[in-house]
mmCIF file with all atom_site columns, all heavy atoms in Angstrom:
data_model
loop_
_atom_site.group_PDB
_atom_site.id
_atom_site.type_symbol
_atom_site.label_atom_id
_atom_site.label_alt_id
_atom_site.label_comp_id
_atom_site.label_asym_id
_atom_site.label_entity_id
_atom_site.label_seq_id
_atom_site.pdbx_PDB_ins_code
_atom_site.Cartn_x
_atom_site.Cartn_y
_atom_site.Cartn_z
_atom_site.occupancy
_atom_site.B_iso_or_equiv
_atom_site.pdbx_formal_charge
_atom_site.auth_seq_id
_atom_site.auth_comp_id
_atom_site.auth_asym_id
_atom_site.auth_atom_id
_atom_site.pdbx_PDB_model_num
ATOM 1   N N   . LEU A 1 141 ? 1.192  -5.278  -1.086  1.00 91.00 ? 321 LEU A N   1
ATOM 2   C CA  . LEU A 1 141 ? 0.622  -6.505  -0.523  1.00 91.00 ? 321 LEU A CA  1
ATOM 3   C C   . LEU A 1 141 ? -0.287 -7.215  -1.528  1.00 91.00 ? 321 LEU A C   1
ATOM 4   O O   . LEU A 1 141 ? -0.307 -8.444  -1.604  1.00 91.00 ? 321 LEU A O   1
ATOM 5   C CB  . LEU A 1 141 ? -0.155 -6.177  0.755   1.00 91.00 ? 321 LEU A CB  1
ATOM 6   C CG  . LEU A 1 141 ? 0.701  -5.763  1.952   1.00 91.00 ? 321 LEU A CG  1
ATOM 7   C CD1 . LEU A 1 141 ? -0.189 -5.354  3.120   1.00 91.00 ? 321 LEU A CD1 1
ATOM 8   C CD2 . LEU A 1 141 ? 1.635  -6.883  2.368   1.00 91.00 ? 321 LEU A CD2 1
ATOM 9   N N   . SER A 1 142 ? -1.023 -6.436  -2.298  1.00 91.00 ? 322 SER A N   1
ATOM 10  C CA  . SER A 1 142 ? -1.904 -7.038  -3.301  1.00 91.00 ? 322 SER A CA  1
ATOM 11  C C   . SER A 1 142 ? -1.101 -7.785  -4.357  1.00 91.00 ? 322 SER A C   1
ATOM 12  O O   . SER A 1 142 ? -1.439 -8.919  -4.731  1.00 91.00 ? 322 SER A O   1
ATOM 13  C CB  . SER A 1 142 ? -2.756 -5.949  -3.965  1.00 91.00 ? 322 SER A CB  1
ATOM 14  O OG  . SER A 1 142 ? -3.581 -5.304  -3.018  1.00 91.00 ? 322 SER A OG  1
ATOM 15  N N   . LEU A 1 143 ? -0.016 -7.161  -4.834  1.00 90.00 ? 323 LEU A N   1
ATOM 16  C CA  . LEU A 1 143 ? 0.796  -7.787  -5.871  1.00 90.00 ? 323 LEU A CA  1
ATOM 17  C C   . LEU A 1 143 ? 1.510  -9.029  -5.354  1.00 90.00 ? 323 LEU A C   1
ATOM 18  O O   . LEU A 1 143 ? 1.590  -10.054 -6.051  1.00 90.00 ? 323 LEU A O   1
ATOM 19  C CB  . LEU A 1 143 ? 1.826  -6.774  -6.395  1.00 90.00 ? 323 LEU A CB  1
ATOM 20  C CG  . LEU A 1 143 ? 1.268  -5.680  -7.313  1.00 90.00 ? 323 LEU A CG  1
ATOM 21  C CD1 . LEU A 1 143 ? 2.322  -4.611  -7.546  1.00 90.00 ? 323 LEU A CD1 1
ATOM 22  C CD2 . LEU A 1 143 ? 0.803  -6.267  -8.633  1.00 90.00 ? 323 LEU A CD2 1
ATOM 23  N N   . ILE A 1 144 ? 2.041  -8.946  -4.136  1.00 89.00 ? 324 ILE A N   1
ATOM 24  C CA  . ILE A 1 144 ? 2.742  -10.103 -3.574  1.00 89.00 ? 324 ILE A CA  1
ATOM 25  C C   . ILE A 1 144 ? 1.775  -11.249 -3.305  1.00 89.00 ? 324 ILE A C   1
ATOM 26  O O   . ILE A 1 144 ? 2.102  -12.422 -3.495  1.00 89.00 ? 324 ILE A O   1
ATOM 27  C CB  . ILE A 1 144 ? 3.497  -9.687  -2.296  1.00 89.00 ? 324 ILE A CB  1
ATOM 28  C CG1 . ILE A 1 144 ? 4.668  -8.777  -2.664  1.00 89.00 ? 324 ILE A CG1 1
ATOM 29  C CG2 . ILE A 1 144 ? 4.017  -10.914 -1.542  1.00 89.00 ? 324 ILE A CG2 1
ATOM 30  C CD1 . ILE A 1 144 ? 5.437  -8.245  -1.484  1.00 89.00 ? 324 ILE A CD1 1
ATOM 31  N N   . THR A 1 145 ? 0.553  -10.922 -2.876  1.00 89.00 ? 325 THR A N   1
ATOM 32  C CA  . THR A 1 145 ? -0.460 -11.960 -2.672  1.00 89.00 ? 325 THR A CA  1
ATOM 33  C C   . THR A 1 145 ? -0.782 -12.662 -3.981  1.00 89.00 ? 325 THR A C   1
ATOM 34  O O   . THR A 1 145 ? -0.887 -13.900 -4.034  1.00 89.00 ? 325 THR A O   1
ATOM 35  C CB  . THR A 1 145 ? -1.741 -11.348 -2.076  1.00 89.00 ? 325 THR A CB  1
ATOM 36  O OG1 . THR A 1 145 ? -1.433 -10.707 -0.838  1.00 89.00 ? 325 THR A OG1 1
ATOM 37  C CG2 . THR A 1 145 ? -2.795 -12.422 -1.838  1.00 89.00 ? 325 THR A CG2 1
ATOM 38  N N   . VAL A 1 146 ? -0.926 -11.876 -5.061  1.00 87.00 ? 326 VAL A N   1
ATOM 39  C CA  . VAL A 1 146 ? -1.179 -12.457 -6.381  1.00 87.00 ? 326 VAL A CA  1
ATOM 40  C C   . VAL A 1 146 ? -0.016 -13.332 -6.812  1.00 87.00 ? 326 VAL A C   1
ATOM 41  O O   . VAL A 1 146 ? -0.201 -14.450 -7.306  1.00 87.00 ? 326 VAL A O   1
ATOM 42  C CB  . VAL A 1 146 ? -1.416 -11.332 -7.424  1.00 87.00 ? 326 VAL A CB  1
ATOM 43  C CG1 . VAL A 1 146 ? -1.418 -11.912 -8.842  1.00 87.00 ? 326 VAL A CG1 1
ATOM 44  C CG2 . VAL A 1 146 ? -2.730 -10.631 -7.145  1.00 87.00 ? 326 VAL A CG2 1
ATOM 45  N N   . ALA A 1 147 ? 1.213  -12.838 -6.606  1.00 86.00 ? 327 ALA A N   1
ATOM 46  C CA  . ALA A 1 147 ? 2.399  -13.594 -7.003  1.00 86.00 ? 327 ALA A CA  1
ATOM 47  C C   . ALA A 1 147 ? 2.478  -14.930 -6.275  1.00 86.00 ? 327 ALA A C   1
ATOM 48  O O   . ALA A 1 147 ? 2.757  -15.971 -6.883  1.00 86.00 ? 327 ALA A O   1
ATOM 49  C CB  . ALA A 1 147 ? 3.657  -12.768 -6.720  1.00 86.00 ? 327 ALA A CB  1
ATOM 50  N N   . MET A 1 148 ? 2.224  -14.917 -4.981  1.00 84.00 ? 328 MET A N   1
ATOM 51  C CA  . MET A 1 148 ? 2.301  -16.155 -4.196  1.00 84.00 ? 328 MET A CA  1
ATOM 52  C C   . MET A 1 148 ? 1.156  -17.104 -4.530  1.00 84.00 ? 328 MET A C   1
ATOM 53  O O   . MET A 1 148 ? 1.299  -18.326 -4.394  1.00 84.00 ? 328 MET A O   1
ATOM 54  C CB  . MET A 1 148 ? 2.301  -15.822 -2.709  1.00 84.00 ? 328 MET A CB  1
ATOM 55  C CG  . MET A 1 148 ? 3.571  -15.135 -2.252  1.00 84.00 ? 328 MET A CG  1
ATOM 56  S SD  . MET A 1 148 ? 3.579  -14.832 -0.481  1.00 84.00 ? 328 MET A SD  1
ATOM 57  C CE  . MET A 1 148 ? 5.242  -14.154 -0.275  1.00 84.00 ? 328 MET A CE  1
ATOM 58  N N   . LYS A 1 149 ? 0.054  -16.541 -4.967  1.00 81.00 ? 329 LYS A N   1
ATOM 59  C CA  . LYS A 1 149 ? -1.086 -17.380 -5.338  1.00 81.00 ? 329 LYS A CA  1
ATOM 60  C C   . LYS A 1 149 ? -0.789 -18.157 -6.623  1.00 81.00 ? 329 LYS A C   1
ATOM 61  O O   . LYS A 1 149 ? -1.194 -19.313 -6.785  1.00 81.00 ? 329 LYS A O   1
ATOM 62  C CB  . LYS A 1 149 ? -2.323 -16.495 -5.535  1.00 81.00 ? 329 LYS A CB  1
ATOM 63  C CG  . LYS A 1 149 ? -3.618 -17.248 -5.753  1.00 81.00 ? 329 LYS A CG  1
ATOM 64  C CD  . LYS A 1 149 ? -4.111 -17.866 -4.466  1.00 81.00 ? 329 LYS A CD  1
ATOM 65  C CE  . LYS A 1 149 ? -5.485 -18.497 -4.655  1.00 81.00 ? 329 LYS A CE  1
ATOM 66  N NZ  . LYS A 1 149 ? -5.962 -19.156 -3.423  1.00 81.00 ? 329 LYS A NZ  1
ATOM 67  N N   . PHE A 1 150 ? -0.053 -17.514 -7.549  1.00 81.00 ? 330 PHE A N   1
ATOM 68  C CA  . PHE A 1 150 ? 0.164  -18.107 -8.867  1.00 81.00 ? 330 PHE A CA  1
ATOM 69  C C   . PHE A 1 150 ? 1.554  -18.679 -9.074  1.00 81.00 ? 330 PHE A C   1
ATOM 70  O O   . PHE A 1 150 ? 1.820  -19.261 -10.127 1.00 81.00 ? 330 PHE A O   1
ATOM 71  C CB  . PHE A 1 150 ? -0.104 -17.061 -9.955  1.00 81.00 ? 330 PHE A CB  1
ATOM 72  C CG  . PHE A 1 150 ? -1.550 -16.695 -10.096 1.00 81.00 ? 330 PHE A CG  1
ATOM 73  C CD1 . PHE A 1 150 ? -2.008 -15.472 -9.656  1.00 81.00 ? 330 PHE A CD1 1
ATOM 74  C CD2 . PHE A 1 150 ? -2.444 -17.574 -10.659 1.00 81.00 ? 330 PHE A CD2 1
ATOM 75  C CE1 . PHE A 1 150 ? -3.336 -15.123 -9.781  1.00 81.00 ? 330 PHE A CE1 1
ATOM 76  C CE2 . PHE A 1 150 ? -3.777 -17.245 -10.794 1.00 81.00 ? 330 PHE A CE2 1
ATOM 77  C CZ  . PHE A 1 150 ? -4.229 -16.013 -10.343 1.00 81.00 ? 330 PHE A CZ  1
ATOM 78  N N   . ILE A 1 151 ? 2.442  -18.507 -8.104  1.00 77.00 ? 331 ILE A N   1
ATOM 79  C CA  . ILE A 1 151 ? 3.820  -18.920 -8.312  1.00 77.00 ? 331 ILE A CA  1
ATOM 80  C C   . ILE A 1 151 ? 3.959  -20.436 -8.480  1.00 77.00 ? 331 ILE A C   1
ATOM 81  O O   . ILE A 1 151 ? 4.903  -20.913 -9.101  1.00 77.00 ? 331 ILE A O   1
ATOM 82  C CB  . ILE A 1 151 ? 4.694  -18.418 -7.128  1.00 77.00 ? 331 ILE A CB  1
ATOM 83  C CG1 . ILE A 1 151 ? 6.140  -18.278 -7.594  1.00 77.00 ? 331 ILE A CG1 1
ATOM 84  C CG2 . ILE A 1 151 ? 4.603  -19.355 -5.923  1.00 77.00 ? 331 ILE A CG2 1
ATOM 85  C CD1 . ILE A 1 151 ? 6.996  -17.469 -6.656  1.00 77.00 ? 331 ILE A CD1 1
ATOM 86  N N   . ASP A 1 152 ? 3.011  -21.198 -7.976  1.00 72.00 ? 332 ASP A N   1
ATOM 87  C CA  . ASP A 1 152 ? 3.055  -22.660 -8.098  1.00 72.00 ? 332 ASP A CA  1
ATOM 88  C C   . ASP A 1 152 ? 1.924  -23.173 -8.978  1.00 72.00 ? 332 ASP A C   1
ATOM 89  O O   . ASP A 1 152 ? 1.635  -24.363 -8.983  1.00 72.00 ? 332 ASP A O   1
ATOM 90  C CB  . ASP A 1 152 ? 2.962  -23.287 -6.700  1.00 72.00 ? 332 ASP A CB  1
ATOM 91  C CG  . ASP A 1 152 ? 3.502  -24.716 -6.677  1.00 72.00 ? 332 ASP A CG  1
ATOM 92  O OD1 . ASP A 1 152 ? 4.477  -24.974 -7.409  1.00 72.00 ? 332 ASP A OD1 1
ATOM 93  O OD2 . ASP A 1 152 ? 2.945  -25.552 -5.949  1.00 72.00 ? 332 ASP A OD2 1
ATOM 94  N N   . ASP A 1 153 ? 1.295  -22.257 -9.728  1.00 72.00 ? 333 ASP A N   1
ATOM 95  C CA  . ASP A 1 153 ? 0.187  -22.622 -10.605 1.00 72.00 ? 333 ASP A CA  1
ATOM 96  C C   . ASP A 1 153 ? 0.745  -22.954 -11.990 1.00 72.00 ? 333 ASP A C   1
ATOM 97  O O   . ASP A 1 153 ? 1.372  -22.099 -12.635 1.00 72.00 ? 333 ASP A O   1
ATOM 98  C CB  . ASP A 1 153 ? -0.816 -21.467 -10.698 1.00 72.00 ? 333 ASP A CB  1
ATOM 99  C CG  . ASP A 1 153 ? -2.109 -21.885 -11.381 1.00 72.00 ? 333 ASP A CG  1
ATOM 100 O OD1 . ASP A 1 153 ? -2.089 -22.854 -12.161 1.00 72.00 ? 333 ASP A OD1 1
ATOM 101 O OD2 . ASP A 1 153 ? -3.145 -21.235 -11.132 1.00 72.00 ? 333 ASP A OD2 1
ATOM 102 N N   . ALA A 1 154 ? 0.514  -24.157 -12.443 1.00 69.00 ? 334 ALA A N   1
ATOM 103 C CA  . ALA A 1 154 ? 1.061  -24.589 -13.735 1.00 69.00 ? 334 ALA A CA  1
ATOM 104 C C   . ALA A 1 154 ? 0.486  -23.785 -14.890 1.00 69.00 ? 334 ALA A C   1
ATOM 105 O O   . ALA A 1 154 ? 1.134  -23.639 -15.941 1.00 69.00 ? 334 ALA A O   1
ATOM 106 C CB  . ALA A 1 154 ? 0.774  -26.082 -13.940 1.00 69.00 ? 334 ALA A CB  1
ATOM 107 N N   . GLU A 1 155 ? -0.724 -23.261 -14.735 1.00 73.00 ? 335 GLU A N   1
ATOM 108 C CA  . GLU A 1 155 ? -1.354 -22.517 -15.813 1.00 73.00 ? 335 GLU A CA  1
ATOM 109 C C   . GLU A 1 155 ? -0.909 -21.051 -15.850 1.00 73.00 ? 335 GLU A C   1
ATOM 110 O O   . GLU A 1 155 ? -1.155 -20.349 -16.835 1.00 73.00 ? 335 GLU A O   1
ATOM 111 C CB  . GLU A 1 155 ? -2.881 -22.584 -15.669 1.00 73.00 ? 335 GLU A CB  1
ATOM 112 C CG  . GLU A 1 155 ? -3.441 -23.991 -15.783 1.00 73.00 ? 335 GLU A CG  1
ATOM 113 C CD  . GLU A 1 155 ? -4.957 -24.008 -15.680 1.00 73.00 ? 335 GLU A CD  1
ATOM 114 O OE1 . GLU A 1 155 ? -5.547 -22.920 -15.529 1.00 73.00 ? 335 GLU A OE1 1
ATOM 115 O OE2 . GLU A 1 155 ? -5.538 -25.109 -15.768 1.00 73.00 ? 335 GLU A OE2 1
ATOM 116 N N   . ALA A 1 156 ? -0.285 -20.576 -14.784 1.00 72.00 ? 336 ALA A N   1
ATOM 117 C CA  . ALA A 1 156 ? 0.161  -19.189 -14.729 1.00 72.00 ? 336 ALA A CA  1
ATOM 118 C C   . ALA A 1 156 ? 1.569  -19.069 -15.286 1.00 72.00 ? 336 ALA A C   1
ATOM 119 O O   . ALA A 1 156 ? 2.409  -19.951 -15.076 1.00 72.00 ? 336 ALA A O   1
ATOM 120 C CB  . ALA A 1 156 ? 0.123  -18.671 -13.294 1.00 72.00 ? 336 ALA A CB  1
ATOM 121 N N   . HIS A 1 157 ? 1.831  -17.989 -15.988 1.00 75.00 ? 337 HIS A N   1
ATOM 122 C CA  . HIS A 1 157 ? 3.160  -17.774 -16.557 1.00 75.00 ? 337 HIS A CA  1
ATOM 123 C C   . HIS A 1 157 ? 4.125  -17.385 -15.436 1.00 75.00 ? 337 HIS A C   1
ATOM 124 O O   . HIS A 1 157 ? 3.852  -16.458 -14.673 1.00 75.00 ? 337 HIS A O   1
ATOM 125 C CB  . HIS A 1 157 ? 3.108  -16.659 -17.604 1.00 75.00 ? 337 HIS A CB  1
ATOM 126 C CG  . HIS A 1 157 ? 4.286  -16.665 -18.525 1.00 75.00 ? 337 HIS A CG  1
ATOM 127 N ND1 . HIS A 1 157 ? 5.556  -16.325 -18.115 1.00 75.00 ? 337 HIS A ND1 1
ATOM 128 C CD2 . HIS A 1 157 ? 4.380  -16.984 -19.845 1.00 75.00 ? 337 HIS A CD2 1
ATOM 129 C CE1 . HIS A 1 157 ? 6.388  -16.419 -19.125 1.00 75.00 ? 337 HIS A CE1 1
ATOM 130 N NE2 . HIS A 1 157 ? 5.713  -16.824 -20.195 1.00 75.00 ? 337 HIS A NE2 1
#
Side-chain angles (χ1 to χ4, degrees):
L321 290 175
S322 298
L323 285 170
I324 290 177
T325 302
V326 169
M328 291 183 175
K329 187 74 174 178
F330 290 107
I331 205 165
D332 201 35
D333 191 336
E335 297 182 0
H337 198 290

